[in-house]
Amino acid sequence: MNTRERIHAIMNYEHFDRMPVVSFGYWTQTLQKWKAEGHIKEEPVYERPMFDFEYDQINRNLGFDFNWHSLVGITQNLLEPPFTRTVLKTLPDKKQEILDEEGNIILVKPGTASIPMEIGHTLTDRESFRTHYLPRLSYGAEVLDRDLYSRLKEESHTREYPLGLFCGSLFGRMRNWLGLQNCVYLWYDDPDFFTEIVDTVGNLLYRQTKMILELGVPFDYAHFWEDICGNDGPLLPPEALADIAGPHYKKITGLLHDYHITTVSLDCDGKIDALIPIWLKNGVNTMFPIEIGSWNANIADWRKTYGKELKGVGGVDKKIFAQDYKAIDREIERIKPYIALGGYVPCPDHRIPPDAKWENVQYYCEKMHGLAV
């Protein structure tokens, strides 16, 4: 069996010969460190792409079979064209106020790796939405890379890894454009405007997904991104997801099913428990990356509630890569019962951080390749 066949077998609760070893990419600082240590000979892609084909050689050198972010589809930013990244001001301490590609004004300290502080937003009201965002959310087939999709269609008969269709984000981008606090307040203060933004985005995602599917590429799974949970649960009220975004998820996943795409994953960090039943009800059936966190998320607990309808990718504690072989052995033993449930593919529970040791990641991949099923 090849990796593509194994993923299909696992997600359909069928026989497979071995567990595929799946990755979720790396921090830029991780690649820089490994390059300095001599583990990476070629120049890696430091500016992390959304679609991680650029990491194929690094994955192979470490021992990974496949990256779950092997995706093509809707542009990550959603905005076409994006805002032009512009330095607005350089402060005496060298920090810079920057207008980013999503229209946010951020405070950036050169040389740091943390998420920048948001200090302002272009999207503040209906007028700014309709002036600066709506025109950037009104595109059609002209943005599709037809040469890429034609090539992927031709390669589909010989491709040995799964290919995912990225279907975008209903809340995650909106949260970025408004800022978290403003987004939550908007749902309470002006639910009609909140709904207008979600509906605009949802209709765009459906149109773009449909146009891509009509190009004839046989995708193996579909994928959404949201990141709307923290360590205590959702950042937005679950009823907002259910009532406003739910119909859009359902419409898009219904379209995916028409094209025989039955594995639909969604990337959301944090404690997602309160949102799982909403996603399941609306056709999203695979949770990713099952971030362990302080709440000890794992697929076994969810499976007790939702049964085999719920599937998952992730759930391997990325912190083990900074430790030793014994820690890796313990982690693999911990996840073995989850693997036995079926419908679950282990994967680091986020991108591999800079404290990871190259040899530890290699050891993990070797052990996973030899794992009996």
Side-chain angles (χ1 to χ4, degrees):
M1 300 180 79
N2 59 37
T3 302
R4 187 182 187 187
E5 293 167 336
R6 292 182 184 109
I7 292 291
H8 277 284
I10 293 167
M11 290 305 182
N12 289 293
Y13 297 95
E14 298 169 354
H15 171 76
F16 60 99
D17 58 347
R18 73 165 176 85
M19 181 58 60
V21 187
V22 177
S23 79
F24 183 23
Y26 319 90
W27 286 28
T28 294
Q29 291 74 21
T30 309
L31 300 180
Q32 290 171 334
K33 185 188 81 167
W34 288 346
K35 178 74 161 56
E37 292 172 348
H39 300 299
I40 300 174
K41 304 302 181 185
E42 69 277 8
E43 189 65 22
V45 179
Y46 291 127
E47 292 301 323
R48 178 179 65 79
M50 177 63 195
F51 308 126
D52 290 332
F53 300 112
E54 289 86 346
Y55 294 147
D56 279 355
Q57 187 59 53
I58 296 170
N59 285 337
R60 284 193 292 270
N61 291 345
L62 284 165
F64 287 112
D65 294 318
F66 160 67
N67 188 321
W68 195 257
H69 262 214
S70 295
L71 306 165
V72 297
I74 294 171
T75 178
Q76 181 188 16
N77 191 343
L78 283 187
L79 303 176
E80 289 287 347
F83 286 83
T84 301
R85 191 176 182 90
T86 306
V87 177
L88 303 177
K89 185 188 299 185
T90 300
L91 305 178
D93 61 359
K94 307 301 183 184
K95 291 178 182 175
Q96 294 179 323
E97 294 183 7
I98 293 175
L99 176 73
D100 73 9
E101 293 81 358
E102 295 186 278
N104 306 312
I105 301 172
I106 57 176
L107 187 64
V108 176
K109 184 177 180 180
T112 60
S114 61
I115 297 174
M117 178 187 297
E118 297 174 0
I119 58 176
H121 300 275
T122 301
L123 179 52
T124 56
D125 54 21
R126 278 182 171 81
E127 182 178 356
S128 60
F129 176 68
R130 293 169 183 172
T131 301
H132 299 291
Y133 286 82
L134 191 56
R136 289 179 161 92
L137 297 168
S138 301
Y139 50 87
E142 70 276 5
V143 304
L144 301 181
D145 185 343
R146 293 182 179 275
D147 290 339
L148 170 64
Y149 291 111
S150 177
R151 176 173 61 80
L152 291 173
K153 183 178 179 180
E154 291 175 4
E155 294 173 351
S156 64
H157 300 295
T158 57
R159 191 177 68 247
E160 295 189 351
Y161 64 88
L163 179 65
L165 170 59
F166 183 60
C167 297
S169 165
L170 285 160
F171 275 172
R173 288 295 143 199
M174 174 183 176
R175 180 212 63 203
N176 283 6
W177 302 335
L178 287 161
L180 175 59
Q181 183 172 311
N182 295 335
C183 188
V184 175
Y185 279 141
L186 184 63
W187 182 77
Y188 283 101
D189 295 339
D190 194 344
D192 289 342
F193 182 33
F194 186 98
T195 301
E196 178 184 342
I197 297 174
V198 176
D199 286 347
T200 299
V201 170
N203 291 335
L204 170 65
L205 299 185
Y206 179 85
R207 292 196 309 272
Q208 289 293 308
T209 299
K210 186 172 188 292
M211 286 187 286
I212 293 170
L213 289 170
E214 288 173 346
L215 295 176
V217 179
F219 291 98
D220 300 288
Y221 62 101
H223 187 69
F224 291 91
W225 171 83
E226 293 296 359
D227 275 6
I228 52 172
C229 291
N231 60 3
D232 291 321
L235 304 175
L236 287 164
E239 55 265 39
L241 185 77
D243 298 340
I244 302 173
H248 292 289
Y249 284 123
K250 194 172 188 67
K251 186 176 179 182
I252 295 167
T253 58
L255 175 64
L256 295 169
H257 290 169
D258 289 343
Y259 283 83
H260 310 292
I261 301 171
T262 56
T263 295
V264 182
S265 63
L266 185 143
D267 178 344
C268 187
D269 301 342
K271 187 176 181 180
I272 65 174
D273 300 59
L275 302 184
I276 289 175
I278 300 169
W279 284 321
L280 280 177
K281 179 181 178 181
N282 291 290
V284 177
N285 59 9
T286 305
M287 303 300 116
F288 172 90
I290 313 180
E291 197 172 44
I292 296 169
S294 59
W295 53 95
N296 295 316
N298 67 82
I299 193 170
D301 290 344
W302 298 337
R303 190 65 65 76
K304 292 174 185 175
T305 302
Y306 304 108
K308 288 188 173 182
E309 180 185 1
L310 183 139
K311 297 178 272 192
V313 176
V316 175
D317 189 350
K318 61 187 175 295
K319 296 191 293 296
I320 60 171
F321 299 127
Q323 299 175 37
D324 55 24
Y325 290 175
K326 289 183 179 179
I328 294 168
D329 290 338
R330 288 194 298 270
E331 182 66 3
I332 292 175
E333 287 300 314
R334 185 186 70 84
I335 65 171
K336 279 184 178 179
Y338 308 156
I339 294 172
L341 296 171
Y344 167 67
V345 178
C347 173
D349 66 343
H350 218 285
R351 296 181 183 272
I352 295 175
D355 60 1
K357 301 173 185 176
W358 176 273
E359 58 272 17
N360 282 353
V361 182
Q362 279 191 320
Y363 179 77
Y364 165 80
C365 291
E366 290 170 5
K367 295 287 287 189
M368 290 297 293
H369 273 290
L371 193 64
V373 295

